[in-house]
Amino acid sequence: MRSHYCGQVNESLVDQEVTLCGWVNRRRDLGGLIFLDLRDVKGLVQVVIDPDFKALFETANKLKHEFCIQLTGKVRARPESQVNKNMATGAVEILASDMTILNGSAPLPLSIDGHQNNSEEQRLKYRYLDLRRTEMTERMKFRAKVTSEIRRYLDDNDFLDIETPILTKATPEGARDYLVPSRTYPGQFFALPQSPQLFKQLLMMSGLDRYYQIVKCFRDEDLRADRQPEFTQIDIETSFMTEDQVMALTEDMTRTLFKKLLNVDLGEFPRMTFAEAMTKYGSDKPDLRNPLEMVDVADLLKDVEFAVFSGPANDPKGRVAALKVPEGAAKFSRKNIDELTKFVGIYGAKGLAWLKVNDLAKGIEGLQSPILKFLPEATALAIIERTGAQTGDIIFFGSDKYSVVSEAIGALRLKIGEELGLVEDCWKPLWVVDFPMFEETNDGGLTPLHHPFTSPTGISAEELKANPETALSNAYDMVLNGCEVGGGSVRIHQQEMQAAVFEILGIGEEEAEDKFGFLLEALKYGTPPHAGLAFGLDRLVMLMTGASSIRDVMAFPKTTTAACPLTNAPGFANPQQVTELGIQVVPQLDDGSDEEE
């Protein structure tokens, strides 16, 4: 139907006839002439309708925004004074000679020239229109380039693209499963995979050596800007490769991707231990563009007569951390500090102590804070020395359970860094390594920090069982500008070690056999050492395109309540189909409880 795309018409086609198809992006009637901006997936081109072509001119008079048309015309150079340097096709225009209206358009329910006035609900309900916006079109095209480059890189490195099942058995990945009822096995359910974890391990046991897959994963969890119930994972698994080798390969793949698509050299990725990341940044995905760092000061405050500090300072599970803020931050008003106090409360902090350094040369007299009366002079000055505070700085304190302080002051660090313009405009990748094998649950038990198939570092099964709390794992996360873009580990490949992990987690033999029997059976038959890594494709593309949410790099995402306004999903199933599946829907009362029959 067309000879060229709109965005590809250029000076090399001057005096040639072309046939284009697309949408009327803009129509301007200047009395004697009608100008159209015609748009397709490749871009825009200006079309001129001359009144000398009467039938054509009458057709053009009927055109409205987003009419879908086909037109034929001759390419001509624009006069020098009319060249539009902001358009790729701005040096030429099309003098139309024929036009067909392929389809009209009703008035649009949202703006596609700019989406500032469109609600999220509108954008998702009319996603097919939202995707016509140049910004969204470009993101979809960029996403396709990312997946193409990744496939090319992995293919060149002898990886096999192998599909794994979508209807499968539940695997523990830290979220609830989406369940699918089975018609042929009444009362039984498949689970949609949270990741292909067990299947990719089985592929290594099959001797297939290097596997990858760009695959849909499903997790029923609370959503936010970088989470969706269904998302896309770049899944990679290898046999006979060490942690360092997997990290080197995937780092090189990421560098190659950024160089080819963004012309950005990410350089060598530094490595940071989990312990260092938590100590300095309160997060296992630190944003290194922000220069602010946390400093532990619990040892300086164990003996002060201020329970807010001394309590957590003497608690093995507590933490007292200081965050020094420079750039004349001592000028923060009481209102500013109250707002920050309210902010850290979101993360469970009960308050926000502070200390201003008005004049360091005056010693204790140059400091200002409501907490100074509780601090011996030597302690206050020791805090100043440890944090490196100077005149004009302010120090904020977090004092509570370790997790609360890390999360609250870590979030405060990010907020203040943004507000004071301290965050560099650059790319800062890193690897976070040496994660703990387990973390403590609210009831005092242990749960895997990653998943129960991660191998511990440098210890035997018996040593792991003796000291699980201190064990480190062969796990590694790739972090970019404060976002975890990929994570992986060396997997357990010996039955004895896998059994030890299940024992530590309180998973008995019967439960282990029920949930993972096929994996445990496979471990008996010469399982090779294997390791892998999975990237979040949506999150990676979000970062590379500068989008603020992964919803803006997915064609048809869900809302934050996991609904699809476009198709009105989820919806009620046909009663006959529900009966065939052997399940019963229990009506919910207004208070959320089940209706009693």
Side-chain angles (χ1 to χ4, degrees):
M1 292 183 69
R2 60 186 167 200
S3 62
H4 296 80
Y5 283 95
C6 297
Q8 295 177 335
V9 178
N10 55 39
E11 292 167 287
S12 68
L13 297 174
V14 169
D15 292 331
Q16 294 186 35
E17 186 175 81
V18 296
T19 298
L20 310 175
C21 294
W23 289 267
V24 177
N25 194 69
R26 188 181 176 201
R27 178 182 176 277
R28 306 182 299 285
D29 190 341
L30 302 185
L33 293 171
I34 293 176
F35 289 87
L36 305 176
D37 286 343
L38 190 64
R39 183 193 76 246
D40 64 18
V41 71
K42 300 289 187 181
L44 290 166
V45 69
Q46 179 171 283
V47 179
V48 182
I49 314 294
D50 194 298
D52 290 345
F53 297 88
K54 292 185 179 180
L56 177 62
F57 200 79
E58 288 178 6
T59 302
N61 266 321
K62 300 175 184 177
L63 297 179
K64 294 182 181 179
H65 188 40
E66 292 305 299
F67 270 42
C68 184
I69 65 173
Q70 177 193 51
L71 67 83
T72 299
K74 181 175 287 189
V75 180
R76 66 183 187 186
R78 291 199 203 186
E80 186 66 30
S81 61
Q82 296 178 19
V83 170
N84 185 344
K85 296 181 179 179
N86 295 321
M87 289 176 62
T89 61
V92 297
E93 60 188 13
I94 311 294
L95 179 62
S97 57
D98 189 34
M99 180 192 302
T100 301
I101 297 177
L102 300 174
N103 215 335
S105 174
L108 301 187
L110 77 171
S111 169
I112 64 171
D113 297 323
H115 72 284
Q116 290 80 4
N117 296 323
N118 299 333
S119 69
E120 180 87 339
E121 186 80 9
Q122 282 178 306
R123 292 183 60 203
L124 297 184
K125 181 177 178 62
Y126 300 100
R127 190 62 161 186
Y128 46 87
L129 296 177
D130 188 53
L131 288 171
R132 290 186 190 177
R133 291 191 300 111
T134 301
E135 180 181 41
M136 292 300 295
T137 299
E138 291 304 312
R139 286 174 181 165
M140 294 301 108
K141 289 160 64 176
F142 187 87
R143 181 181 175 121
K145 290 179 181 178
V146 170
T147 58
S148 178
E149 289 296 336
I150 287 171
R151 290 186 188 280
R152 184 176 295 111
Y153 182 93
L154 293 173
D155 289 345
D156 289 346
N157 280 274
D158 296 327
F159 281 80
L160 300 177
D161 183 358
I162 305 174
E163 296 177 348
T164 54
I166 293 297
L167 295 176
T168 182
K169 192 176 182 70
T171 58
E173 297 285 343
R176 290 178 295 272
D177 292 299
Y178 279 100
L179 300 178
V180 180
S182 169
R183 180 185 59 80
T184 52
Y185 296 90
Q188 299 186 47
F189 296 82
F190 294 103
L192 301 183
Q194 294 187 36
S195 84
Q197 181 63 47
L198 297 183
F199 284 104
K200 63 186 178 186
Q201 290 190 243
L202 291 171
L203 288 171
M204 296 304 100
M205 298 170 190
S206 305
L208 291 170
D209 201 69
R210 294 190 176 196
Y211 139 94
Y212 84 94
Q213 184 181 188
I214 298 179
V215 60
K216 280 290 185 185
C217 301
F218 307 86
R219 296 185 184 180
D220 185 4
E221 58 188 348
D222 295 333
L223 305 184
R224 59 189 184 203
D226 58 351
R227 280 183 180 172
Q228 280 280 293
E230 53 179 317
F231 57 96
T232 305
Q233 192 165 284
I234 306 162
D235 207 42
I236 298 170
E237 196 77 9
T238 68
S239 294
F240 307 112
M241 287 184 71
T242 65
E243 173 183 356
D244 288 338
Q245 289 172 324
V246 172
M247 292 168 68
L249 182 138
T250 51
E251 179 179 322
D252 184 63
M253 183 183 79
T254 306
R255 273 199 303 269
T256 301
L257 192 66
F258 271 73
K259 187 63 179 177
K260 284 191 174 182
L261 298 185
L262 296 180
N263 196 28
V264 168
D265 184 359
L266 291 178
E268 296 292 323
F269 292 17
R271 294 191 185 189
M272 180 182 296
T273 66
F274 172 85
E276 182 184 357
M278 296 303 296
T279 298
K280 290 184 176 180
Y281 308 107
S283 171
D284 60 359
K285 47 182 184 296
D287 188 345
L288 300 186
R289 298 173 302 164
N290 184 336
L292 301 181
E293 293 184 4
M294 298 161 61
V295 178
D296 282 334
V297 292
D299 60 308
L300 302 176
L301 296 165
K302 287 184 176 182
D303 299 324
V304 300
E305 295 181 3
F306 187 39
V308 170
F309 281 168
S310 61
N314 287 284
D315 184 348
K317 296 181 179 179
R319 183 178 189 186
V320 185
L323 180 72
K324 181 200 72 174
V325 184
E327 307 291 327
K331 295 179 182 178
F332 275 25
S333 68
R334 183 68 201 210
K335 180 182 178 182
N336 297 143
I337 294 174
D338 287 344
E339 289 173 349
L340 295 177
T341 302
K342 185 177 180 180
F343 172 77
V344 296
I346 298 171
Y347 300 91
K350 301 179 182 68
L352 184 65
W354 54 272
L355 190 158
K356 289 184 178 181
V357 185
N358 294 324
D359 189 345
L360 186 59
K362 293 181 178 179
I364 195 72
E365 298 300 322
L367 307 181
Q368 175 190 352
S369 173
I371 65 171
L372 276 176
K373 58 187 176 184
F374 302 111
L375 302 181
E377 180 176 345
T379 299
L381 294 178
I383 291 172
I384 297 297
E385 181 179 0
R386 182 169 295 183
T387 59
Q390 301 294 320
T391 297
D393 296 350
I394 187 171
I395 302 170
F396 291 106
F397 298 89
S399 182
D400 208 310
K401 294 178 180 178
Y402 189 93
S403 59
V404 171
V405 172
S406 299
E407 190 170 0
I409 305 303
L412 181 68
R413 168 185 174 268
L414 297 177
K415 179 178 176 64
I416 291 177
E418 289 286 350
E419 291 183 351
L420 295 184
L422 302 177
V423 180
E424 295 180 74
D425 183 15
C426 61
W427 296 100
K428 289 282 190 177
L430 78 152
W431 287 104
V432 178
V433 298
D434 292 342
F435 286 86
M437 271 289 287
F438 307 102
E439 59 183 342
E440 191 173 328
T441 61
N442 292 331
D443 59 6
L446 293 177
T447 188
L449 191 65
H450 284 86
H451 56 65
F453 315 110
T454 300
S455 173
T457 301
I459 57 175
S460 67
E462 289 304 315
E463 290 170 327
L464 178 65
K465 288 191 287 185
N467 294 290
E469 298 87 353
T470 59
L472 298 180
S473 68
N474 268 315
Y476 35 86
D477 282 357
M478 184 187 291
V479 177
L480 180 61
N481 291 6
C483 286
E484 179 197 329
V485 294
S489 67
V490 175
R491 323 303 186 187
I492 295 170
H493 70 283
Q494 294 173 328
Q495 192 176 32
E496 181 185 11
M497 182 64 76
Q498 190 64 74
V501 170
F502 285 161
E503 182 180 331
I504 291 167
L505 298 175
I507 299 175
E509 290 186 15
E510 186 175 337
E511 182 182 357
E513 183 63 32
D514 177 58
K515 291 183 175 179
F516 316 110
F518 59 95
L519 178 70
L520 297 176
E521 177 72 13
L523 287 172
K524 298 176 182 178
Y525 305 111
T527 297
H530 55 287
L533 184 142
F535 288 92
L537 175 64
D538 313 294
R539 196 174 297 176
L540 184 63
V541 176
M542 176 186 76
L543 289 172
M544 295 181 77
T545 59
S548 59
S549 164
I550 62 170
R551 291 192 293 276
D552 283 336
V553 296
M554 302 172 78
F556 299 104
K558 305 291 189 294
T559 66
T560 53
T561 57
C564 175
L566 174 65
T567 61
N568 289 322
F572 292 104
N574 181 296
Q576 181 180 348
Q577 190 175 16
V578 171
T579 301
E580 289 176 350
L581 291 171
I583 59 177
Q584 182 179 6
V585 177
V586 179
Q588 297 285 307
L589 300 176
D590 291 340
D591 63 2
S593 62
D594 296 341
E595 182 178 330
E596 296 183 2
E597 296 184 358

